[in-house]
Amino acid sequence: MLGSLRDVLVVADALHAQTGHAELLAADGGHLMTAVKANQPTLFAQLKALPWAEVPVGSQTRETGHGRKETRTVKVLTVSTPGGLGFPYARQAVRITRTRTIKGRTTRETAYLTVSLPADQAQPADLGTWARSEWHIENRLHHVRDVTFREDAHSARTGSGPAVFATLRNTAIGYHHVDGATNIAEATRRASHRPHDLIDAVTTGNPAVTRGHPTLQ
C-alpha cells in the first residue's frame, strides 16, 4: 500500500487522462493534473476550442543555455464540471506554449492539460513548474527506458512482469545516475565489460556506486 493520497497532486502524461484515474484519485482525496492529447479527441477538441486568445498570460519563463533559447508561456482558465469540460473534477484548463530556438531554427509546441485543483491552490506559475517537472521525468527516465532499454519491445506483458522489469530498469538507471553518468546508453555499454562492479557495490553496502556497474535487464 502506498498510503493515503489525500491532498496529493499526481502530475501525469496523457496516458492517464482517463475518467477512472480521475475518479480513483478524487475518491481518496487526491488531485490529478494530466496532459490531454489525441487519445482523448473530444476533450482535446474542447480544450483547443477555449478562447485562449482572450486569456492573459499567467506566467512566462525564459531560458538560455547550450545554444538554445526557450520560452514557456502558461495560460489558465477556470472551468466547471459537469458542463465545462468532459472530464471529471477538472477545475482548470491549462495551455502551455513552448517556443524553442536552436541554431537559428525556431519551433513551437503547444500542450493542453487539466487540473482538479482550483485557482487559489494552483497558480499559473505553479502549473508551469509542475508540468515541467513531469516533462523532466519523462525525458530523464521514461525516454531512456523506451530507447536505451527498448522497453516497448519487451515480451513481458501480463501479470506482475511489466512492473518487475520496470523496477529493475529504474534501479539500473538510478545506479548509473548516482555513478555520475549522463549518457545511460554509453554507461550501459561500458558496464557490460565490468560485470562485477554493481555486485561489489551492493554486497559491500557501499552507497557510492563505482563507475561501470552493469545494468539489470
Side-chain angles (χ1 to χ4, degrees):
M1 295 293 290
L2 295 176
S4 174
L5 292 173
R6 179 164 297 279
D7 297 326
V8 171
L9 174 66
V10 175
V11 183
D13 61 22
L15 178 67
H16 298 280
Q18 306 291 333
T19 297
H21 293 188
E23 292 178 342
L24 182 65
L25 277 170
D28 203 23
H31 293 277
L32 176 64
M33 176 178 173
T34 180
V36 178
K37 296 183 178 178
N39 63 317
Q40 290 284 357
T42 301
L43 179 59
F44 185 67
Q46 287 180 325
L47 289 169
K48 285 189 68 175
L50 291 172
W52 295 110
E54 303 171 17
V55 179
V57 172
S59 174
Q60 189 172 77
T61 58
R62 292 183 174 87
E63 225 176 56
T64 302
H66 306 289
R68 179 188 68 185
K69 295 180 180 179
E70 184 170 293
T71 301
R72 302 179 192 87
T73 303
V74 183
K75 290 187 173 185
V76 185
L77 271 173
T78 296
V79 295
S80 59
T81 55
L85 290 175
F87 195 71
Y89 306 102
R91 300 288 295 276
Q92 297 191 83
V94 185
R95 190 184 80 171
I96 301 178
T97 304
R98 290 178 286 179
T99 304
R100 183 178 299 169
T101 302
I102 303 176
K103 295 181 179 179
R105 182 173 179 267
T106 299
T107 59
R108 182 172 176 170
E109 178 183 5
T110 300
Y112 296 95
L113 308 94
T114 67
V115 61
S116 60
L117 286 170
D120 62 343
Q121 297 181 40
Q123 293 293 303
D126 300 321
L127 296 167
T129 298
W130 297 334
R132 190 180 180 195
S133 297
E134 193 279 324
W135 291 332
H136 179 76
I137 293 170
E138 181 70 25
N139 291 334
R140 188 174 174 85
L141 180 61
H142 295 291
H143 179 76
V144 173
R145 280 169 38 180
D146 290 343
V147 176
T148 302
F149 291 91
R150 300 184 64 194
E151 185 172 61
D152 288 347
H154 200 275
S155 59
R157 301 288 181 183
T158 59
S160 60
V164 169
F165 278 99
T167 300
L168 293 174
R169 293 184 187 103
N170 288 347
T171 300
I173 293 168
Y175 273 116
H176 281 312
H177 283 311
V178 169
D179 193 31
T182 56
N183 185 319
I184 303 302
E186 179 183 334
T188 301
R189 290 191 295 270
R190 183 177 61 246
S192 66
H193 299 292
R194 301 179 62 176
H196 296 291
D197 284 0
L198 179 58
I199 295 173
D200 292 341
V202 172
T203 57
T204 59
N206 185 356
V209 181
T210 56
R211 181 166 298 282
H213 62 77
T215 55
L216 305 177
Q217 300 188 56

